[in-house]
């Protein structure tokens, strides 16, 4: 996946990010959704409530783009199933 340049990141609607307030983890396509899940625990400076909201955004984007999500909560990321 290519890194977003500043101009493209600024052009993305705020609601398209997992973490909308911080504009972190864009969810524009299936690759972005998978990346957001993989990097979820690396996001710093957010509360658990913000993580709960971000996870809901990721779940909605995953459904939209046909990405299978095995975790039912962000707290399960990285745990064996």
């Amino acid at each position: 996946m290519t890194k977003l340049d500043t101009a493209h990141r600024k052009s993305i609607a705020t609601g398209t990010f997992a973490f909308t307030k911080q504009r972190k983890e864009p969810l524009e396509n299936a690759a972005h959704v998978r990346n957001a899940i993989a990097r979820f625990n690396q996001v710093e400076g957010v509360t658990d409530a913000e993580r709960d909201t971000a996870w809901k955004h990721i779940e909605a984007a995953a459904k939209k783009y046909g990405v299978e999500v095995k975790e039912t909560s962000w707290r399960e990321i990285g745990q064996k199933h």
Side-chain angles (χ1 to χ4, degrees):
M1 175 188 290
T2 60
K3 186 172 179 156
L4 294 177
D5 63 29
T6 303
H8 185 195
R9 180 173 285 278
K10 286 182 179 180
S11 72
I12 298 171
T14 299
T16 308
F17 288 88
F19 295 89
T20 55
K21 182 179 174 185
Q22 298 81 6
R23 294 182 63 81
K24 293 182 180 179
E25 302 307 330
L27 302 170
E28 293 187 292
N29 54 46
H32 280 162
V33 172
R34 288 188 288 274
N35 190 56
I37 294 168
R39 297 172 145 281
F40 196 89
N41 289 333
Q42 297 173 13
V43 176
E44 297 178 346
V46 294
T47 66
D48 282 354
E50 289 170 320
R51 287 187 186 280
D52 289 338
T53 300
W55 187 252
K56 289 177 185 174
H57 294 161
I58 289 172
E59 287 179 315
K63 184 176 181 179
K64 178 179 179 178
Y65 297 115
V67 175
E68 181 182 353
V69 179
K70 296 177 183 172
E71 298 84 1
T72 58
S73 166
W74 61 267
R75 291 170 175 86
E76 294 178 2
I77 295 174
Q79 296 181 11
K80 292 184 180 183
H81 294 272

